[in-house]
Amino acid sequence: MSRPPTFVPPPCATARTLRTARGDFAVLDAVPPRGVPVAGTVLMLPGFTGSKEDFIALLEPIAAAGYRAVTVDGRGQYETEGPADESAYAQEELARDALAQAAALGDETGPAAGTIALLGHSLGGQVARAAVLLAPDVFSSLTLMSSGPAAITPTQQARAKMLADAVGVLSMDEVWQAMRAMEPPPPQDAETGADDSEALRARWLRHNPAQLIATAGQLSTEPDRIDELAATPLPKHVLSGERDDTWPVPLLDEMAQRLRAHRSVIAGAEHSPNTDRPAETAAALIAFWNRV
């Protein structure tokens, strides 16, 4: 699970509700400083067990570069409510949510078609891909961050199944306690000695178990749709850390070649470059958006 450095938005960002034709979504909405021309809008979709806060360290540099950045809790994630029915979290449903979010942002700022850059991390990347395949003309570009061409590795499939099985029979708090027992102690702040355990626990407890079960299954069975995606005309960007145990980096390199995509590898980062190396990740994203 990604560990954002904080759950407190930076001054450039506002926590608010984005109202769409498919329901309300909790977002962080970061806008460029006064006097900085707006170059575009970026819609950012988090990964499995994640939330909008996973991108929080990217918001200030992205906004300072002139991009409005909107990070979203998908249905059933953290502060966005979701039903208990697993079918509500089918990939196409989540993809149509992303299209509705883009439409709502377009209504706020002008025509949506071709003006919004889409970014998805891990599971969010596969949802973003599905949204683009449904409506490729809606977005100005697509960035797949640490998100591979098909199913996750067999080791990660086993972990996803274990988690899905657990949340199907135990309370979310019981699962949290079990996960913490199997992990090393969380890192502590050097000055205060505090760690992020309580914030992460609070986020975990608000995830909808049906969402976790459904999306764990998606990650483990996702087919390769890269040829379909390559046929769409919008510019593409594959970004990852230099190590990744969810989709091996050589597989991501090959995917970028098949997509004829711009490729960024963030030194010192693993599966979550957005939290591992946010400054370098933001710089790579901004460079791509400026180019396209």
Side-chain angles (χ1 to χ4, degrees):
M1 137 182 346
S2 294
R3 289 180 176 273
T6 178
F7 278 70
V8 179
C12 65
T14 301
R16 70 179 186 93
T17 299
L18 178 66
R19 304 195 184 281
T20 82
R22 289 177 61 86
D24 295 347
F25 296 87
V27 302
L28 297 177
D29 192 343
V31 298
R34 182 171 306 202
V36 175
V38 178
T41 298
V42 184
L43 176 62
M44 309 171 86
L45 311 181
F48 184 58
T49 76
S51 70
K52 60 190 180 302
E53 286 76 16
D54 289 347
F55 301 110
I56 209 163
L58 304 180
L59 296 181
E60 282 194 307
I62 288 174
Y67 293 94
R68 179 188 180 192
V70 180
T71 75
V72 59
D73 288 339
R75 64 167 70 186
Q77 286 183 316
Y78 192 28
E79 293 181 322
T80 296
E81 296 293 329
D85 182 359
E86 290 175 34
S87 67
Y89 305 98
Q91 187 184 80
E92 183 173 332
E93 294 296 321
L94 302 180
R96 292 192 181 281
D97 285 350
L99 294 175
Q101 292 154 12
L105 292 173
D107 289 343
E108 293 178 355
T109 60
T115 64
I116 295 176
L118 182 61
L119 179 153
H121 173 236
S122 194
L123 171 71
Q126 297 196 334
V127 173
R129 177 174 76 180
V132 166
L133 291 175
L134 284 172
D137 294 337
V138 167
F139 301 102
S140 60
S141 69
L142 171 65
T143 296
L144 301 175
M145 178 185 289
S146 303
S147 186
I152 54 181
T153 64
T155 298
Q156 292 298 326
Q157 289 178 37
R159 294 185 66 179
K161 183 179 186 304
M162 184 184 305
L163 181 62
D165 289 346
V167 300
V169 297
L170 300 174
S171 72
M172 292 294 283
D173 191 52
E174 288 171 327
V175 177
W176 173 259
Q177 298 302 330
M179 289 193 302
R180 293 312 299 263
M182 293 187 291
E183 295 177 351
Q188 293 187 334
D189 184 281
E191 294 183 2
T192 66
D195 62 50
D196 58 4
S197 299
E198 193 49 44
L200 289 172
R201 176 178 176 273
R203 175 174 72 173
W204 170 260
L205 293 177
R206 294 186 66 175
H207 273 72
N208 191 304
Q211 189 267 353
L212 295 170
I213 293 169
T215 54
Q218 291 170 31
L219 286 167
S220 298
T221 59
E222 178 73 3
D224 188 320
R225 304 185 71 188
I226 295 306
D227 290 344
E228 291 177 72
L229 185 61
T232 63
L234 80 171
K236 303 168 188 73
H237 183 194
V238 174
L239 183 149
S240 74
E242 62 181 351
R243 295 178 299 279
D244 198 309
D245 62 359
T246 305
W247 287 279
V249 169
L251 187 65
L252 299 176
D253 293 337
E254 178 189 11
M255 181 180 77
Q257 292 176 353
R258 292 172 61 193
L259 290 171
R260 299 179 298 279
H262 182 68
R263 180 76 171 106
S264 298
V265 179
I266 307 301
E270 298 189 19
H271 184 61
S272 297
N274 42 312
T275 58
D276 294 343
R277 294 289 187 272
E280 296 84 351
T281 300
L285 292 170
I286 292 162
F288 170 69
W289 294 324
N290 285 345
R291 195 181 96 179
V292 303

